Amino acid sequence: MELNQISDNKGARKSRMRVGRGIGSGKGKPAGRGYKGQTSRSGVAIKGFEGGQMPIHRRLPKRGFNNHTRVEYDVITLRDLQVLVDNGTFKAGDTVTTQSLRDAGVIPRTSDGVKLLVKGVLKVKLSVDVERASKAAGDAIGKLGGTMTVKPVLPKREKVKKDPKTGKAIKA
């Protein structure tokens, strides 16, 4: 047997149906689209249209809530910091910030900040400057002689108080 003699089993590969290629082809003339009308033409997408009946996506009740002011944090642990020290990204005594973690490619650029958790063990002194941290993580860094700075993240959109009579914004 040669390489040029190798082939699939009979029926393993089915050729696609060529539509609109004459009456005898099996999908000739209207090519499976019915006769006339908008949907027999190309470029038509009437998704969710049910002939004037209330569509199912409007009949069903809506559930849930998407908070547009939610602050998304990326979680990093003491173990992760130790791995970064071990591979040479940070040295003992360095300041680890959200920006330095982004530059190192540890967290994505889309997050609003970093939350530090205590999972794992850190063996070197580091100064950590993040948006949130667990108390235990702060204590673990403090025991090694490092410092922990937590800077709060402002919500994405401040709520504006309005005067009930005029409806204009009031400075709080």
Side-chain angles (χ1 to χ4, degrees), residues 2-157:
E2 301 292 323
L3 284 176
N4 65 340
Q5 295 173 332
I6 296 173
S7 64
D8 274 330
N9 294 331
K10 214 55 168 153
R13 290 175 182 251
K14 187 177 178 185
S15 56
R16 73 177 186 86
M17 172 66 75
R18 296 180 68 221
V19 297
R21 294 295 182 277
I23 302 299
S25 69
K27 278 270 197 221
K29 202 173 174 229
R33 290 173 173 261
Y35 287 91
K36 295 188 181 178
Q38 183 180 11
T39 53
S40 69
R41 310 322 194 225
S42 66
V44 174
I46 314 175
K47 289 186 172 61
F49 184 69
E50 298 181 19
Q53 172 178 302
M54 185 64 68
I56 193 163
H57 64 85
R58 290 184 60 195
R59 289 196 305 265
L60 295 175
K62 307 299 177 276
R63 299 280 299 181
F65 171 72
N66 289 325
N67 187 355
H68 62 276
T69 59
R70 180 180 173 169
V71 180
E72 294 276 342
Y73 293 103
D74 278 314
V75 174
I76 192 164
T77 63
L78 294 180
R79 181 188 305 134
D80 298 334
L81 289 179
Q82 185 60 46
V83 168
L84 291 170
V85 170
D86 292 342
N87 69 21
T89 307
F90 297 112
K91 293 186 242 359
D94 280 358
T95 302
V96 178
T97 62
T98 304
Q99 190 57 46
S100 65
L101 290 168
R102 280 197 181 115
D103 294 341
V106 178
I107 59 169
R109 298 194 178 278
T110 55
S111 66
D112 298 317
V114 173
K115 183 171 183 176
L116 181 68
L117 298 178
V118 76
K119 194 175 195 179
V121 178
L122 183 64
K123 299 170 189 165
V124 296
K125 174 183 167 182
L126 287 175
S127 296
V128 181
D129 185 18
V130 291
E131 285 71 28
R132 294 197 71 181
S134 68
K135 188 172 184 338
D139 294 343
I141 288 174
K143 279 182 185 174
L144 294 167
T147 58
M148 167 71 81
T149 310
V150 177
K151 53 185 180 200
V153 175
L154 294 173
K156 292 178 185 169
R157 197 179 92 199

